[in-house]
């Protein structure tokens, strides 16, 4: 869930915490707790080896084994379990999941067979499924073939838009474009099929992260580019002007970024030395710098980790963030209204704990 957290332990067990929305958006279940709770999976569908877990606002998805993927409640199109080798009767090839990502109410899967094609399903009001229409798909289907996008190797899903990096390390995006988050130079209409982000042509895109209305990418030149909504300075270009094409994030030219993660208010970057800098808005401690600062994107703020520790992985949510540290511990910071930090309280945290 967008207001919670989840973690897979080394023994394959799952812990979750935070706010729990029912499949009906007008109904709200009780919170699943402000401290991590172990999940009991349905024994009929439960995998022996849980490999990956993803959660969105009205959909949650888990990649579970070499050829099976399981689903929990989805706002559009509920599926409990799916064997990827038996979805399509027209092919005898087994589909193997390599990555799964979920957005507000749609999900996408990258398979490592059949030229790593992308499968998406759920609500398609803005073309975020990439099928060339705005028709809801209640069952997974392959995204419309695009002759320019060669063999997708990664997938990233925002609230209502989707992006993929292909084997040529070029970036393609599709879906909602109300703030220019597709990167096509305009902020009107929706993009119904994968479209190359032309401003990044010539740069090898290594990683991409999508939020509700802005996008960021890390390139082989070790530059972070962001585009889309910028009302909180989350693009890191020193302004609060919406950008419909990628602009470089300022102030990191002498550092080596290895990962970027986008949230509703903020953008955070993990650097090779294990430090994390965040920029944007920080009304509930999203900077993680231990201060009640909020300068709307003027400069990076450095997350305060426990003494002697540094981050090796990072994920930014709606208003909170979590990082895995070098000792394999998990820390979180930011908004905690629904217990999404897993601290046992509902108090916002302005530094990583």
């Amino acid at each position: 869930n967008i207001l919670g957290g989840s973690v897979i332990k080394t023994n394959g067990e799952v812990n979750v915490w935070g706010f729990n929305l029912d499949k009906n958006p007008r109904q709200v279940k009780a919170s699943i707790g402000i401290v991590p709770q172990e999940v009991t999976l349905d024994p009929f569908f439960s995998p022996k080896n849980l490999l990956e877990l993803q959660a969105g606002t009205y959909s949650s998805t888990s990649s579970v084994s070499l050829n099976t993927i399981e689903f929990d409640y989805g706002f559009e199109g509920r599926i409990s379990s799916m064997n990827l080798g038996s979805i399509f009767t027209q092919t005898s090839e087994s589909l193997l999941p390599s990555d799964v990502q979920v957005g507000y109410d749609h999900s996408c899967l990258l398979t490592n067979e059949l030229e790593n094609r992308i499968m998406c399903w759920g609500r398609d009001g803005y073309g975020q499924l990439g099928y060339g229409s705005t028709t809801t798909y209640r069952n997974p289907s392959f995204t419309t073939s695009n002759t320019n996008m060669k063999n997708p190797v990664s997938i990233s899903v925002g609230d209502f838009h989707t992006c993929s990096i292909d084997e040529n390390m070029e970036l393609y995006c599709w879906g909602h474009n109300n703030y220019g988050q597709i990167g096509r130079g305009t902020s009107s209409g929706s993009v119904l099929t994968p479209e190359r982000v032309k401003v990044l042509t010539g740069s090898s895109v290594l990683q991409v992260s999508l939020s509700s209305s802005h996008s960021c990418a890390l390139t082989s030149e070790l530059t972070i580019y962001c585009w889309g909504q910028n009302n909180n300075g989350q693009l890191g270009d020193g302004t609060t002007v919406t950008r419909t094409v990628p602009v470089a994030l300022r102030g990191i030219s002498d550092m080596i970024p290895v990962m970027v993660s986008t949230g509703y208010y903020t953008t955070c970057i993990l650097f090779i030395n294990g430090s994390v800098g965040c920029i944007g808005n920080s009304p509930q401690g999203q900077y993680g710098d231990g201060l009640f600062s909020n300068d709307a994107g003027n400069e990076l703020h450095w997350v305060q980790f426990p003494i002697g520790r540094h981050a090796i992985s990072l994920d930014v949510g709606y208003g909170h963030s979590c990082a895995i540290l070098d000792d394999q511990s998990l820390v979180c910071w930011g908004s905690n209204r629904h217990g999404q930090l897993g601290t046992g309280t509902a108090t916002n945290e302005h530094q990583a704990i």
Side-chain angles (χ1 to χ4, degrees), residues 67-89:
N67 67 345
T68 304
I69 184 167
E70 290 191 3
F71 304 88
D72 201 348
Y73 292 121
F75 189 75
E76 291 284 357
R78 290 178 52 187
I79 304 175
S80 295
S81 185
M82 173 176 70
N83 187 301
L84 297 180
S86 61
I87 295 176
F88 301 99
T89 58

Side-chain angles (χ1 to χ4, degrees), residues 146-301:
N146 186 300
T147 56
N148 294 318
M149 185 167 64
K150 304 294 185 182
N151 194 11
V153 296
S154 73
I155 186 79
S156 184
V157 172
D159 276 7
F160 305 110
H161 70 300
T162 309
C163 291
S164 178
I165 301 171
D166 74 358
E167 67 178 3
N168 294 325
M169 309 308 288
E170 292 187 326
L171 181 64
Y172 289 79
C173 296
W174 58 97
H176 206 15
N177 193 44
N178 58 329
Y179 289 103
Q181 57 265 49
I182 300 301
R184 68 188 322 212
T186 68
S187 58
S188 60
S190 297
V191 179
L192 305 184
T193 58
E195 183 174 296
R196 180 163 52 89
V197 181
K198 295 179 181 178
V199 173
L200 297 179
T201 300
S203 298
S204 295
V205 179
L206 305 179
Q207 184 241 334
V208 62
S209 178
L210 311 183
S211 75
S212 173
S213 51
H214 79 288
S215 311
C216 291
L218 169 65
T219 70
S220 57
E221 291 86 4
L222 302 180
T223 301
I224 302 289
Y225 289 94
C226 297
W227 58 99
Q229 189 177 25
N230 197 27
N231 59 322
N232 292 304
Q234 57 265 50
L235 303 188
D237 66 345
T239 76
T240 54
V241 177
T242 291
R243 305 292 186 178
T244 60
V245 295
V247 293
L249 190 143
R250 302 187 317 163
I252 62 170
S253 59
D254 58 344
M255 306 186 70
I256 301 177
V258 296
M259 181 182 183
V260 60
S261 187
T262 55
Y264 188 83
Y265 298 108
T266 55
T267 299
C268 294
I269 301 99
L270 171 63
F271 294 93
I272 197 169
N273 64 358
S275 62
V276 172
C278 297
I279 199 165
N281 201 3
S282 185
Q284 294 97 25
Q286 282 84 359
Y287 291 153
D289 60 359
L291 305 173
F292 290 86
S293 55
N294 186 8
D295 63 5
N298 287 327
E299 62 181 16
L300 283 177
H301 293 258

Side-chain angles (χ1 to χ4, degrees), residues 13-87:
E13 295 176 345
V14 180
N15 279 7
V16 298
W17 59 96
F19 196 56
N20 187 24
L21 292 174
D22 188 79
K23 62 181 181 295
N24 185 335
R26 294 182 294 273
Q27 299 175 358
V28 179
K29 289 182 178 180
S31 172
I32 55 177
I34 57 177
V35 295
Q37 301 182 45
E38 188 169 306
V39 176
T40 301
L41 299 173
D42 187 328
F44 182 76
F45 292 118
S46 294
K48 294 181 179 179
N49 297 295
L50 186 60
L51 303 178
E52 181 180 343
L53 182 69
Q54 289 282 338
T57 305
Y58 291 119
S59 60
S60 59
T61 311
S62 58
S63 172
V64 295
S65 67
L66 288 180
N67 67 345
T68 304
I69 184 167
E70 290 191 3
F71 304 88
D72 201 348
Y73 292 121
F75 189 75
E76 291 284 357
R78 290 178 52 187
I79 304 175
S80 295
S81 185
M82 173 176 70
N83 187 301
L84 297 180
S86 61
I87 295 176

